[in-house]
Amino acid sequence: TLKDNLDLVRFIKQVQEYRHDSDTPHRTLYLCRVELWWSSSLATGIRGMQVRTQDAAYMAAVGKWFGVLLPLIQPYLYSNGGPIIMVQVENEYGSFGCDHEYISRIYDLMHEQLGDETVYFTTDGPGGYHCGSMNTTQLLTTIDFGVGGDAAANFEKLRKYQPHGPNVNSELYTGWLDHWGSKHATRPAAKLGSALGALLEMGASANLYMWHGGTNFGLTSGAQQEVFKINPTSYDYDAPQSEWGDLKLDKYWAIRNVTSQHFPGNKMPVPQSWPRLTGITLNPTLQAILWSI
């Protein structure tokens, strides 16, 4: 059951209400497809399951999961007046595998329930276009890169594999994730403004990933596989708005100054930072081993 922190419908409704109450109607909802395939595989507990493949057990789990998930989001698609403008079929799959039939099967599962009016897309970095994109207008490929990426070169490379489609960076990295044992990752505000400006100058669209830092609750923080690095519970990401809600004004103004040149009608006031609790001392006295809980 999707409830409490997993209450997706409640979250979508909040996004929709905020969108309707705002002077910036381009605010929409973004959910990373990684969480969706992770959820469908974890929920089964089947040993030996090969995730993100045509493994029969995995595809059955995905189909079952989509049977629960997709009917929940269907009323909130953009075509139905909702805030979900696109649906992501895969995320950076080209860095994981190279089976276009698998991608097609995932697309078919989604299309069966969400229909022709939905815009379907995948996302890949510059090294994953060949395996992660398909030469079809039914499944658009977007790209992702951070403050050091070359927008023009990346889109030019993409068009070798998918000649037609909009230029979209669906994950313009505003910062980076942290790892245990490393310093907090940061990215310069000026470079973020330049990267966003380059995209807008060429008429491309961009989604800021992340705008608001968050928290990986429970056991959802994850790790990187290539060189095993564990992520902490914090997903502050050096985002323009911190994990605890404060604005990082250098990044906020770098973004706002760039966007105001292209969208001059935005006159929203600067959000205020949240008040901090003071005078509180915590003295933990109990401890437990994670696996004993």
Side-chain angles (χ1 to χ4, degrees), residues 75-132:
Y76 303 100
L77 297 175
Y78 191 77
S79 57
N80 294 325
I84 304 175
I85 60 174
M86 302 166 71
V87 175
Q88 188 176 15
V89 172
E90 254 292 359
N91 184 72
E92 298 178 342
Y93 173 74
S95 300
F96 178 87
C98 200
D99 184 353
H100 287 165
E101 185 178 347
Y102 156 75
I103 299 176
S104 294
R105 290 184 64 184
I106 296 296
Y107 164 80
D108 289 341
L109 288 174
M110 289 184 163
H111 180 260
E112 286 174 5
Q113 298 204 46
L114 301 182
D116 293 331
E117 297 299 316
T118 302
V119 178
Y120 303 91
F121 76 105
T122 62
T123 301
D124 270 289
Y129 300 155
H130 170 63
C131 291

Side-chain angles (χ1 to χ4, degrees), residues 26-66:
H26 53 278
R27 270 199 185 90
T28 50
L29 175 65
Y30 177 83
L31 292 175
C32 183
R33 175 67 173 80
V34 168
E35 293 295 337
L36 302 185
W37 68 253
W38 179 85
S39 300
S40 61
S41 59
L42 179 66
T44 64
I46 298 176
R47 291 185 178 275
M49 176 185 289
Q50 300 297 308
V51 299
R52 304 175 87 180
T53 71
Q54 297 190 66
D55 174 75
Y58 177 67
M59 292 303 296
V62 171
K64 184 177 181 180
W65 171 232
F66 281 0

Side-chain angles (χ1 to χ4, degrees), residues 10 27 47 65 70 77 95 99 116 126 130 143 189 204 219-220 222 226-228 232 242 245 251 264 274 286:
R10 182 186 176 195
R27 270 199 185 90
R47 291 185 178 275
W65 171 232
L70 299 184
L77 297 175
S95 300
D99 184 353
D116 293 331
H130 170 63
I143 66 178
L219 300 177
T220 64
E226 295 80 6
V227 177
F228 189 65
S242 71
K251 286 197 169 181
W274 294 93
L286 300 176

